[in-house]
Amino acid sequence: MTSSSADLFSLDGRRALVTGATGPLGSVLADTLASLGARVIVSDLDADRCHAVAAELTDRHGVEAEAAPVNLLGADGPATLADAVGDQLDVLVNNAAFTGTSGVPGYAVPFPEQTDEAFDLATRLNLQVPFSLSRRLAPRLAASGHGAIVNVSSIYGIVGPNMGLYESTTMGNPAAYGASKGGIVQLTRYLATVLAPDVRANAFAPGGIARGQDDAFTERYTKLTPLARMATEDDFRGVVAWLASDASRYVTGQTIPVDGGWSAW
């Protein structure tokens, strides 16, 4: 039987967990899944923001959305969140992460000043937490019949940093970010093979997102991007809709660059 495009992208009746779901990107990913009919579990650090985003999703899309505030860096963070999810889960979006602007001491600073402590903290949230959540939630995803893991990597998990972008700015590109996001690419391949055929695992790699960066950085970045602009959060709606739904039902183990062509040259 041939499926319609609407049927392939529909998430009606499915439950989706999004980590880091109150941030600029996470909230858009959660909104996208809710717009397709998913019942979204909104997880992040701030309880008030989790409840507010969940309420907004319900009001906007008429779906059941719930808040699951958890400190994923806590000793029992992933276990606590896995327990809060309940028995049904169809989609896991591992989005929570430290970025280059997260303000962690010893992180987004010149390489000689980067610290082991910052590297450890970033890799725990950016890589270990997705591993732990995927491991704990895999049986529930498998039981759903269309389980999907969507990991958020980065172009810096695929290519090395161009440090010239940051000259004469206060911005930086920490080693832990690229290393952990590169780890996400390999973790995605691993999960795709060991969880097949019951669960698909894919990732997407965002390019730079415009968030009021230094003008010099934005100008340099734009010149190096074939589509001649930085991304907006809305540019990632299509890829998460595709990877979370049956529209990508024969796709697993892949990392999709969504970078305006940045990694094409």
Side-chain angles (χ1 to χ4, degrees):
M1 182 177 67
T2 302
S3 302
S4 69
S5 296
D7 288 339
L8 287 173
F9 280 98
S10 174
L11 296 177
D12 286 346
R14 303 186 192 184
R15 288 182 84 225
L17 168 63
V18 181
T19 66
T22 70
L25 179 58
S27 59
V28 169
L29 302 181
D31 184 79
T32 301
L33 300 182
S35 73
L36 297 172
R39 294 176 289 154
V40 178
I41 305 163
V42 176
S43 184
D44 215 321
L45 188 60
D46 187 286
D48 290 341
R49 284 292 300 142
C50 285
H51 286 283
V53 170
E56 290 169 6
L57 295 179
T58 297
D59 290 345
R60 186 177 303 121
H61 302 294
V63 298
E64 177 187 332
E66 56 194 286
V70 172
N71 178 8
L72 289 172
L73 285 174
D76 299 318
T80 299
L81 181 54
D83 289 343
V85 166
D87 293 334
Q88 182 194 351
L89 188 67
D90 303 275
V91 179
L92 167 61
V93 180
N94 284 309
N95 169 69
F98 288 120
T99 67
T101 58
S102 293
V104 177
Y107 180 53
V109 292
F111 181 65
E113 301 172 24
Q114 294 175 31
T115 65
D116 292 354
E117 293 78 13
F119 193 97
D120 177 67
L121 189 66
T123 52
R124 280 174 56 201
L125 182 60
N126 294 12
L127 184 57
Q128 184 176 333
V129 166
F131 159 77
S132 183
L133 286 175
S134 299
R135 178 178 62 82
R136 295 171 187 278
L137 295 171
R140 278 165 269 188
L141 292 166
S144 79
H146 33 240
I149 296 172
V150 182
N151 294 322
V152 181
S153 181
S154 166
I155 55 169
Y156 288 129
I158 299 173
V159 300
N162 178 348
M163 300 307 291
L165 292 170
Y166 306 96
E167 290 179 4
S168 304
T169 76
T170 59
M171 302 171 63
N173 191 307
Y177 183 72
S180 59
K181 290 302 187 177
I184 283 290
V185 173
Q186 186 59 28
L187 177 64
T188 299
R189 296 189 186 107
Y190 183 89
L191 294 173
T193 57
V194 301
L195 300 182
D198 299 316
V199 179
R200 296 182 303 107
N202 292 288
F204 66 92
I209 301 174
R211 290 177 181 161
Q213 290 94 336
D214 187 285
D215 288 344
F217 173 87
T218 301
E219 182 178 352
R220 293 166 187 158
Y221 191 98
T222 298
K223 287 180 178 178
L224 292 172
T225 305
L227 291 187
R229 66 175 177 86
M230 297 189 72
T232 69
E233 282 79 9
D234 276 355
D235 290 323
F236 305 99
R237 289 184 181 273
V239 71
V240 74
W242 182 54
L243 293 178
S245 70
D246 291 344
S248 60
R249 63 191 177 192
Y250 198 57
V251 179
T252 195
Q254 305 305 306
T255 297
I256 313 300
V258 186
D259 61 3
W262 172 270
S263 57
W265 59 15

